[in-house]
Amino acid sequence: RDLVRSRGLGDVYKRQVSQVINGMRDDELEAIFIYRYLDGLSMEEIAERMHYDSRTILRKHKIGLDKLSLVVTQCHCMSP
């Protein structure tokens, strides 16, 4: 079952989210964000799938959020 589609989110949304995630340029963080935001897995499920402790996934997820925050801030600074 496609959780993103079941929430009423279309292909355009999925493409945009995928582009942002792929822009992280970190395979491990990208996997965590894909599992979480496109596949709809819980942090515990992600940890199990990636063979990590759930606290490690939470820590890496925070690092990814911080990284995305910088990217978004830079994009807004560059816009006219």
Side-chain angles (χ1 to χ4, degrees):
R1 178 173 146 218
D2 186 349
L3 291 176
V4 172
R5 189 171 304 281
S6 71
R7 291 182 186 149
L9 304 174
D11 290 336
V12 172
Y13 171 83
K14 286 168 48 173
R15 270 195 308 276
Q16 290 173 339
V17 170
S18 293
Q19 287 174 344
V20 170
I21 291 171
N22 290 333
M24 296 176 84
R25 292 188 170 83
D26 181 313
D27 292 341
E28 198 167 70
L29 292 178
E30 288 175 17
I32 291 168
F33 276 71
I34 288 168
Y35 287 146
R36 181 73 178 140
Y37 297 106
L38 295 179
D39 296 342
L41 298 182
S42 70
M43 294 299 187
E44 291 78 17
E45 292 169 320
I46 296 168
E48 186 175 308
R49 188 169 287 190
M50 295 182 74
H51 307 285
Y52 282 115
D53 184 83
S54 60
R55 291 172 298 190
T56 301
I57 294 299
L58 288 169
R59 183 178 49 78
K60 289 178 179 287
H61 182 262
K62 182 182 180 335
I63 290 168
L65 288 175
D66 291 343
K67 190 171 186 175
L68 285 178
S69 177
L70 288 173
V71 170
V72 170
T73 302
Q74 289 172 353
C75 288
H76 284 292
C77 288
M78 289 186 220
S79 43

